[in-house]
Amino acid sequence: MIAPVRPHSRIVVVDAHPNDYDTIAHSPEFNHCEFQFHRDGRSALRDDDREYPELCVINMNLPDMSGLDLYEMVNERWPGVPVYMVGDDYRPEDEVQARISGATFYFCKPLQCEWLAATAAG
C-alpha cells in the first residue's frame, strides 16, 4: 500500500500539454496536493516560489528548451528535489539521457498515479 500524500504537498509539472495530467491531478490520492503547471521552461524559471516542491516533473521536449537543460537549472534551484523526466513517447535515447543527467526517474506518458504518489508521500 502506498503511503498517503503529505498534506499541502506541491508538485511542479513543466509540460506543454498539462491536460495529460488531468487524471492524476484529480485523483483522490492527490486531494491535498497542489499541482503547479508550467507550459515551458521559462515560465517555470520565472516562478519566484522559494518553497521547495516535493516533486518536479519535466517533459523532455519543451517548446522553448530541452527538458534536460531545465533539469540542470531546477537541480541548482532546488537541490535534492526528486525530478521525473517524461517523454511523450518512449525513446530509449531519452531514457539514457535522463539517467545520465541524474534525474530520479524517466517515464513516458501516460503517467500512473502510483508513480507520483510514492514520491509525494515522501
Side-chain angles (χ1 to χ4, degrees):
M1 171 105 184
I2 295 175
V5 175
R6 285 184 273 172
H8 310 293
S9 294
R10 184 166 69 104
I11 298 175
V12 174
V13 178
V14 186
D15 194 317
H17 306 286
N19 293 343
D20 292 349
Y21 300 84
D22 281 349
T23 302
I24 292 173
H26 295 99
S27 169
E29 294 160 314
F30 293 100
N31 281 343
H32 301 289
C33 191
E34 172 193 351
F35 279 82
Q36 185 175 11
F37 292 98
H38 299 279
R39 291 183 180 267
D40 58 46
R42 286 188 185 110
S43 171
L45 294 171
R46 279 193 305 265
D47 183 356
D48 64 353
D49 194 338
R50 300 289 180 220
E51 185 177 323
Y52 282 32
E54 277 62 46
L55 174 65
C56 190
V57 179
I58 302 173
N59 193 294
M60 293 290 289
N61 300 301
L62 299 171
D64 59 347
M65 67 178 66
S66 159
L68 292 171
D69 289 341
L70 179 61
Y71 164 74
E72 290 179 20
M73 292 179 253
V74 163
N75 195 38
E76 287 179 21
R77 182 177 187 182
W78 297 318
V81 170
V83 176
Y84 289 1
M85 299 303 299
V86 177
D88 293 320
D89 299 301
Y90 179 74
R91 294 176 22 151
E93 58 271 19
D94 283 350
E95 182 172 9
V96 169
Q97 289 295 324
R99 292 185 181 272
I100 289 171
S101 74
T104 307
F105 288 109
Y106 168 83
F107 296 111
C108 66
K109 293 179 182 177
L111 293 181
Q112 302 298 313
C113 288
E114 295 81 18
W115 299 342
L116 296 180
T119 299

